[in-house]
Amino acid sequence: MMNKVLLIGAGGREHAIANALKKSGAKIYAVMKNKNPGIARLAEEYIIGDHNSVSYVKNLDWVKFKKVDFAFIGPEAPLINGMADMLDESGIPVVGPKKNAAIIEGSKEFMRDLMKKHGIDGLVDYYVFTNSKKVEKFLIDYKKPFVVKPVGVTGGKGVWVMGDHFKTKEEGIKYAKKVIEENIGGERKVIIEEKLSGEEFTLQVFTDGRNIKGMPLVQDFKRAYERDKGPNTGGMGSYSMENHLLPFMDEKDYAKAMKILEDIIAAMRREGRTYKGVLYGQFMLTAEGPKVIEINCRFGDPEAMNVLSILDTNLLDISWEIIEGHLREKVLFKDLATVVKYIVPAGYGTANVNKGTEIRVNEKKIEQEGAIVYYASVNDENGRIYTTTSRSLAVVGLGKNLNLAEQIAERALSHVSGKIYARHDIAKADMIKKKIEKMNAIKINRR
Ligand code: AMP
Ligand code: GLY
């Protein structure tokens, strides 16, 4: 059986991948930068080391002596750095794109230019600058509300939205210049985009470069505090519904978003950049339908935990089908709603994070509530769990509908203690109601 899997990454997303692979009969060999107790427990063997470093992984015995059958790469950094290329050259096939395809996330300019060149729907107005005087001049005359983004990767944290992260045009100009001058994102380039309004959603797909299988829609919450206040984070939680749509979306909206991802994957193939792995689309549902906010080269985190917790098809089989280029007819998900709530150290998202403090997790009780726990950026020291500066662990409530799943997630949270913080508002009934009302008022064109 070809079932030895090298798993790269240490977060909640990778714990969820490990769980799904293990359930499918895989043997896991994990590389992770912190000791994630969930992954450690599922793995045959694990190594604590820099999972983002291509040269580090290249020199591991598992790779040098081909002791694994394939690799599953969780985070974007190693993919953007060319880890899939290195592993493939070492004789280890990979679920995850090569460097020339991972650029879809690595460069927001590449992604926008690809959509423009191939006439793909869902493109926003965008303008790229490398000169701080030019961006200033452009913005002085620009009439619409706008968003300022570094071209390179900043984990969603470098993006400034007018009315949200800054109020006046002058503040926006100042930040746009700073992105170039201080090299934020590492490319000395800034993208200015028109500001979209609507509701955001995530659509993730499996693809072998040609065949594409869509997953349930998920809505992610990036802002640190309740009512979507505070700094942007990697994501504080997320939910999905039993019908695999969202409360403000129908099947037509889903089909439009799928078509955009299909067109992107086809365009990548035409460009000689065949994309294999998981492709992640972050969209804004606007009055004109779905528009692309960003495209990522991997599962979302937290969104991976929503979809993998209800995946009913063997992930080991899916992985081989992606590698071999014959992704099968059906990838199935249970008809359950899911609510993910991340637990983070108190002060997360600010300069004063409660790092290195102990968190107590009553896993038995969480399980009894009907929830799942996925560990993230914590360190396990002799069975005790300590925070880092990043997200600590997540609970996932599963239920017949969103309300039930949310209640289960909340009960699960009560079995975790320490100097921690979580957003209790995610997926609560009144929040969902407001979203539906907002989107009803927008009157989406569904022709
Ligand atoms: P990104 O890293 O590109 O996903 O941006 C982070 C967050 O900024 C997104 O999740 C959105 O909430 C917001 N954002 C990005 N681009 C736009 C846009 N063109 N219009 C409105 N909001 C945006
Ligand atoms: N949750 C957002 C991301 O994974 O990019």
Side-chain angles (χ1 to χ4, degrees), residues 13 220 222 234-235 280 282 294 296 298-303 391:
R13 165 182 52 210
D220 170 35
K222 284 208 167 71
Y280 167 115
Q282 175 87 33
E294 67 172 347
N296 291 335
R298 41 140 183 112
F299 271 117
D301 188 349
E303 293 96 324
R391 297 174 290 185

Side-chain angles (χ1 to χ4, degrees), residues 186-234:
E187 300 229 10
R188 275 190 203 288
K189 270 187 192 171
V190 69
I191 295 197
I192 306 300
E193 287 178 6
E194 68 173 305
K195 180 186 169 183
L196 301 170
S197 40
E199 279 291 319
E200 281 182 72
F201 67 94
T202 302
L203 174 58
Q204 305 168 99
V205 301
F206 291 109
T207 179
D208 59 10
R210 197 173 284 273
N211 304 298
I212 299 162
K213 302 293 161 206
M215 304 187 211
L217 296 175
V218 182
Q219 191 170 40
D220 170 35
F221 294 81
K222 284 208 167 71
R223 305 297 285 273
Y225 312 134
E226 300 201 342
R227 293 185 301 281
D228 287 327
K229 302 267 187 278
N232 269 332
T233 69

Side-chain angles (χ1 to χ4, degrees), residues 108 112 124 147 149 154-157 159 161 164-165 193-197 200 222 232 282 284 292-294:
K108 292 187 200 293
R112 295 280 183 223
V124 301
V147 176
K149 300 185 179 187
T154 54
K157 292 158 200 153
V159 174
V161 179
D164 236 356
H165 305 90
E193 287 178 6
E194 68 173 305
K195 180 186 169 183
L196 301 170
S197 40
E200 281 182 72
K222 284 208 167 71
N232 269 332
Q282 175 87 33
M284 184 82 82
V292 173
I293 298 266
E294 67 172 347

Side-chain angles (χ1 to χ4, degrees), residues 226-249:
E226 300 201 342
R227 293 185 301 281
D228 287 327
K229 302 267 187 278
N232 269 332
T233 69
M236 293 295 296
S238 48
Y239 70 87
S240 71
M241 298 215 309
E242 66 281 8
N243 63 1
H244 304 164
L245 300 171
L246 290 171
F248 49 87
M249 285 181 72

Side-chain angles (χ1 to χ4, degrees), residues 26 101 117 131 160 191 194 293-294 326 328 335 353 360 375 387 404:
K117 178 173 166 194
N131 180 300
W160 279 35
I191 295 197
E194 68 173 305
I293 298 266
E294 67 172 347
H326 54 81
R328 76 161 82 176
D335 296 331
V353 194
R360 288 192 188 78
Y375 288 95
T387 59
L404 291 172

